[in-house]
Amino acid sequence: MNNKFSRRAVVASLAALTLPLPAFALSGSAAESLVNAAVADINKIIASGKSERAMQSDFQRVFERYADVNIIALTTLGPARRSASKAEVSAFVKAFKGYFTRKYGKRFHEFVGGQIIVEGSRASKSNVEVQSTAKLRGSAPFKVTWLVSDKSGSPKIFNIIIEGVNTLTSERAEIGAMLDKRRGDIGALTADLNKLG
Amino acid sequence: MLNVLIKRLCAVSLAVAVAGCTAAPIGVGVNDPIETQNRGTHSVNRAIDKAFVSPASKGYGKALPMPVRTGVSNFASNLNLPGQVLNNLLQFRIENAGHNAFRFLVNTTFGFGGVLDVATDAGLDNRFTDFGETLHVWGAPEGAYLELPLVGPSTERHAAGRIVDLLMNPLNFGAEGSLKTAATGASVAARFGDRYQYSDLIDSVLYESEDSYSQARLLYLQSRRFKLSGGAQPDYIDPYEDVYGNE
């Protein structure tokens, strides 16, 4: 067991013990600055003027840095993860990360010339909801809510709700449909995810 | 299919009469008893999109620069405003009726017949409504999910609303021949413009997802309910509790 891992385990168990204490909870301002930093990084990539391919891989890095792709992957797998082996689940999570970042990284040009204005935040459930308005080129402003949690050990975005449309719910339905079509075979799903997106 | 719709329309009006004027609760989950039939309509819609709508919208989007496309769609939505004012009045949302009437006046005069959306620039935001929303305000339940030919995802209530909107559009009574033709042309062109503008999202739902029918259904239900709730934050699951809570 390396140092990083044990530190994480200690932090996690501390967090579990101290959950009801508001002093340890993720603050609204920390969540807001996380979202602002993510948006700033996205704008920086767009302004860089690199090739589409280079920008796409930069976007994948932004996803890795700001999103809790691990929890997103486990959520989309749903109850199927309980009957799967540890190795199967971790192979799925790895494949999902690639698929997810490719799928959404590809759509970055929707942000070109756009603006996201963070308006405020509030605590809800075990996380913080950061409210913002997106002003993208050629479309009316719309509401984007970022769900931020620090339960992974550091503040990360785990879901984005765009005008009431829940990204995680859509992705869960998608992975569920893929799994159904492969008769619940996680191995086949993982292999195909590596090719998709 | 029309029979079913008429029967349901009667049920909707009965429900309205019984419920009085309390808005219906916002729908939850998926109510799709005629899924097999809906999936049939969906695959036809998808084929039509692939063969015609998508290529035509690409042609339209590439032929005309964005400002022109925006002008066309502004013109079409401006002509839709009188009908929306009527709906606002039927909903007893008098402030919105005034808001939309004022938007119509400002855009029609200062926006050169609605080509420029000067009202939005002046801070009068777009508050779209339709008769489906009016039915909701009157207490009619959402009804079953329905995929309509050519139109796409809907619910029974929304579909009934569309028919009424078509029938009570003031343009049908007030407008003369050439304006009516221009209005119809602009609204068709605006649909192509939307298809082009949101092509990334639409292509990803229709052609890149495993089950495009259920993805479209989910997307539609969530955004329609968000609209009818006045933009209230919908509930969501806490994935941390879901994933770690049971282990």
Side-chain angles (χ1 to χ4, degrees):
Chain A
M1 192 185 277
N2 63 39
N3 266 340
K4 202 174 158 198
F5 184 79
S6 59
R7 190 166 62 224
R8 189 173 287 178
V10 170
V11 170
S13 45
L14 264 179
L17 283 172
T18 55
L19 253 182
L21 295 177
F24 285 88
L26 174 65
S27 75
S29 60
E32 283 178 45
S33 44
L34 182 82
V35 171
N36 274 322
V39 171
D41 275 11
I42 292 170
N43 286 332
K44 218 185 288 166
I45 295 169
I46 290 168
S48 74
K50 289 185 192 170
S51 72
E52 180 125 339
R53 224 202 150 106
M55 281 201 210
Q56 241 183 70
S57 60
D58 285 351
F59 268 98
Q60 290 184 27
R61 266 196 295 279
V62 169
F63 274 125
E64 293 272 354
R65 182 162 168 203
Y66 293 100
D68 189 352
V69 191
N70 195 50
I71 199 83
I72 295 170
L74 291 174
T75 305
T76 59
L77 190 54
R81 72 173 181 275
R82 278 185 206 115
S83 49
S85 75
K86 257 194 176 142
E88 279 175 328
V89 171
S90 67
F92 164 80
V93 170
K94 191 164 173 273
F96 180 87
K97 278 184 186 176
Y99 150 82
F100 187 76
T101 53
R102 282 192 301 276
K103 178 175 175 178
Y104 290 94
K106 191 160 81 173
R107 287 175 52 187
F108 73 88
H109 49 264
E110 288 173 29
F111 286 98
V112 176
Q115 220 186 340
I116 289 169
I117 300 137
V118 170
E119 276 147 1
S121 59
R122 68 182 184 125
S124 171
K125 301 182 198 275
S126 70
N127 54 271
V128 175
E129 296 172 0
V130 177
Q131 282 104 12
S132 69
T133 295
K135 291 179 178 167
L136 300 191
R137 230 174 23 175
S139 55
F142 56 90
K143 271 194 202 172
V144 179
T145 303
W146 311 70
L147 304 184
V148 182
S149 169
D150 60 359
K151 281 206 170 172
S152 64
S154 60
K156 297 255 186 189
I157 299 159
F158 66 89
N159 198 352
I160 300 177
I161 301 176
I162 303 159
E163 285 280 299
V165 176
N166 187 315
T167 312
L168 194 50
T169 307
S170 298
E171 208 49 61
R172 189 176 191 162
E174 177 67 4
I175 296 295
M178 292 177 81
L179 199 57
D180 281 351
K181 203 163 259 180
R182 287 158 188 79
R183 295 165 197 280
D185 184 345
I186 294 186
L189 172 68
T190 303
D192 288 345
L193 280 181
N194 279 322
K195 289 178 260 166
L196 277 174
Chain B
M1 159 105 182
L2 200 64
N3 267 344
V4 175
L5 208 62
I6 290 166
K7 223 190 285 170
R8 292 287 190 156
L9 252 175
C10 293
V12 162
S13 20
L14 188 70
V16 169
V18 172
C21 273
T22 316
I26 298 296
V28 283
V30 175
N31 170 21
D32 191 359
I34 53 161
E35 180 166 341
T36 316
Q37 187 189 321
N38 279 336
R39 280 188 183 269
T41 312
H42 179 77
S43 60
V44 173
N45 281 345
R46 200 163 162 251
I48 293 172
D49 179 81
K50 196 167 191 173
F52 174 66
V53 182
S54 171
S57 72
K58 270 196 194 100
Y60 174 75
K62 290 203 170 116
L64 297 176
M66 195 192 248
V68 177
R69 281 183 273 124
T70 309
V72 169
S73 96
N74 285 344
F75 178 72
S77 31
N78 190 53
L79 287 176
N80 204 355
L81 277 170
Q84 294 185 47
V85 173
L86 202 54
N87 274 308
N88 288 141
L89 291 172
L90 291 171
Q91 294 157 8
F92 307 108
R93 290 177 176 162
I94 308 305
E95 203 255 314
N96 279 358
H99 180 99
N100 279 333
F102 196 52
R103 263 179 70 83
F104 180 69
L105 280 178
V106 168
N107 279 345
T108 306
T109 52
F110 300 109
F112 302 99
V115 173
L116 298 180
D117 184 4
V118 282
T120 298
D121 297 334
L124 286 164
D125 57 318
N126 185 357
R127 293 186 194 165
F128 181 85
T129 190
D130 53 38
F131 196 74
E133 181 164 17
T134 302
L135 289 172
H136 162 76
V137 171
W138 286 353
E142 184 181 74
Y145 180 74
L146 195 60
E147 178 145 346
L148 296 171
L150 296 171
V151 176
S154 192
T155 57
E156 286 176 316
R157 182 177 61 197
H158 197 176
R162 278 179 182 279
I163 294 168
V164 177
D165 277 325
L166 275 178
L167 296 177
M168 75 173 196
N169 189 338
L171 267 185
N172 288 338
F173 311 106
E176 285 163 35
S178 58
L179 177 61
K180 218 164 161 178
T181 314
T184 313
S187 66
V188 171
R191 296 267 328 256
F192 285 117
D194 284 345
R195 176 68 184 85
Y196 181 74
Q197 166 104 26
Y198 302 108
S199 61
D200 271 359
L201 173 67
I202 296 168
D203 287 346
S204 116
V205 169
L206 284 186
Y207 305 113
E208 286 156 32
S209 66
E210 185 76 39
D211 183 355
S212 63
Y213 172 76
S214 64
Q215 281 292 319
R217 182 177 61 187
L218 193 58
L219 200 65
Y220 165 79
L221 287 176
Q222 290 186 86
S223 49
R224 181 68 183 167
R225 287 165 182 172
F226 181 72
K227 198 221 158 293
L228 295 185
S229 73
Q233 175 70 55
D235 194 27
Y236 54 87
I237 57 154
D238 180 347
Y240 294 93
E241 188 160 297
D242 188 50
V243 169
Y244 299 133
N246 300 316
E247 280 166 16

